[in-house]
Amino acid sequence: MDFCDPDSGTTHGASLTGKLCDINSYSKVDEPFFAGLYPSFCSAVAAGGGKKALSKTLTSSDYHPVGKRSGSLSPRTPPVNPNIYKFYNFDFVWTGSADSAMECYKDCNEAFNAITAAPCGLSGMTYTASENVGCGTYSYTIDADLRVCNIDPSVTYQPDMVSWNTDNANQAIKDFCAGDFVVDPNTTTPPNNFSQGAGSGRDTYPLQVYRYPDGSTDHVTSIFVTFASTPNPGCSAPSTFNVKDYTAQCERLLGKVLADPDPCPGNTGGFVVEQAADHGCVDWQIFQWSISG
């Protein structure tokens, strides 16, 4: 459910002002870290005169302590550790003010300060939120998934990858993500993640090999999912889940390897590390290889 700020001064209509966020989707990014991150974006907005549109991706290296802790925080609140978010991207956007006559009732810092407060910042920041300030909109999106364009080095099985047929790769993703595959930390955490081998236990083992007719009958697409061998310190503890219960998330994560217009070089494959799931940090990998190689 989206939250609409009822005290923004404007109700639903042609020009809706106030903050908007998905209160059903909180990240593990805490409010003190976010409060030390967004000023870097606001400084860039100010450098452009404050009216010019701007999009900027920030990382944990853009975090700067904000000085004394907010009075709303407990004295026992632990210090911010930006390294927890080293694999995260934070996409900030200011739409700009196309009409110089329109009044901006908040500047950049004021807008993001309001966003940081509840409910957008409550038990962590929501994955996305925005604040319409009358003359334009400030927003952010948290991308907690790291893409790596090679086979996970923890995997002992390292075939020579070949360029894929994109249609086949997309079909393989759909087939895999709809499958009834259990991901169990007792059997799918390196070095145990291939103990059953590619030819046994595939009804419950999250490794699947797909071959589709495309003129290259020796080319196959492999997809597997396993718990990360070197999880980020901010990850939840690994717990069992079923791929079919995460179909949309599975398709989104594996699709990042195929992402157009920025696919992995050579269209050979790679993996995405899911950083913020309740079931722990997970590697979702897809690659194509030649069985005759």
Side-chain angles (χ1 to χ4, degrees):
M1 176 182 295
D2 288 336
F3 170 82
C4 176
D5 185 353
D7 300 318
S8 63
T10 303
T11 57
H12 290 275
S15 179
L16 174 65
T17 58
K19 61 185 176 184
L20 195 66
C21 55
D22 184 354
I23 59 175
N24 294 315
S25 181
Y26 285 97
S27 73
K28 295 183 181 298
V29 176
D30 61 29
E31 297 90 331
F33 171 80
F34 190 80
L37 182 68
Y38 71 72
S40 293
F41 175 72
C42 290
S43 294
V45 170
K51 297 288 187 179
K52 185 178 180 181
L54 179 66
S55 298
K56 192 174 180 66
T57 298
L58 303 182
T59 66
S60 60
S61 63
D62 295 299
Y63 166 81
H64 299 286
V66 294
K68 293 183 179 180
R69 294 179 185 173
S70 167
S72 63
L73 296 178
S74 165
R76 296 182 179 179
T77 301
V80 173
N81 177 11
N83 287 331
I84 290 177
Y85 312 109
K86 65 182 179 179
F87 294 135
Y88 287 42
N89 285 333
F90 302 85
D91 300 320
F92 285 82
V93 176
W94 162 234
T95 62
S97 179
D99 186 349
S100 59
M102 295 184 68
E103 179 183 359
C104 301
Y105 72 88
K106 289 180 182 177
D107 64 19
C108 180
N109 282 290
E110 291 170 334
F112 281 110
N113 183 59
I115 288 174
T116 306
C120 301
L122 186 60
S123 55
M125 300 299 300
T126 55
Y127 277 101
T128 185
S130 63
E131 171 90 355
N132 187 322
V133 298
C135 62
T137 300
Y138 294 98
S139 64
Y140 75 86
T141 301
I142 297 172
D143 184 354
D145 309 312
L146 172 71
R147 187 180 76 169
V148 181
C149 289
N150 57 257
I151 300 177
D152 186 336
S154 68
V155 176
T156 56
Y157 168 60
Q158 297 278 332
D160 292 330
M161 295 190 295
V162 297
S163 294
W164 58 46
N165 175 297
T166 302
D167 290 339
N168 288 352
N170 280 316
Q171 185 60 53
I173 289 174
K174 288 184 178 298
D175 290 345
F176 179 84
C177 293
D180 184 7
F181 306 125
V182 174
V183 189
D184 184 340
N186 294 316
T187 57
T188 57
T189 300
N192 302 315
N193 54 341
F194 282 94
S195 59
Q196 293 180 335
S200 64
R202 288 214 230 141
D203 289 341
T204 58
Y205 195 66
L207 165 64
Q208 294 290 292
V209 179
Y210 300 90
R211 183 190 298 182
Y212 303 100
D214 66 349
S216 301
T217 56
D218 65 333
H219 289 181
V220 295
T221 301
S222 288
I223 299 178
F224 71 82
V225 53
T226 182
F227 288 93
S229 56
T230 55
N232 180 31
C235 292
S236 298
S239 60
T240 301
F241 69 97
N242 194 310
V243 171
K244 70 177 181 180
D245 296 327
Y246 293 88
T247 297
Q249 180 77 336
C250 173
E251 291 181 356
R252 184 185 71 82
L253 291 166
L254 290 172
K256 290 185 71 170
V257 181
L258 279 66
D260 184 21
D262 183 31
C264 282
N267 289 331
T268 54
F271 65 97
V272 171
V273 184
E274 183 183 21
Q275 298 284 344
D278 291 337
H279 48 245
C281 284
V282 175
D283 291 354
W284 300 79
Q285 177 153 286
I286 178 172
F287 59 91
Q288 186 157 294
W289 52 284
S290 173
I291 59 177
S292 62

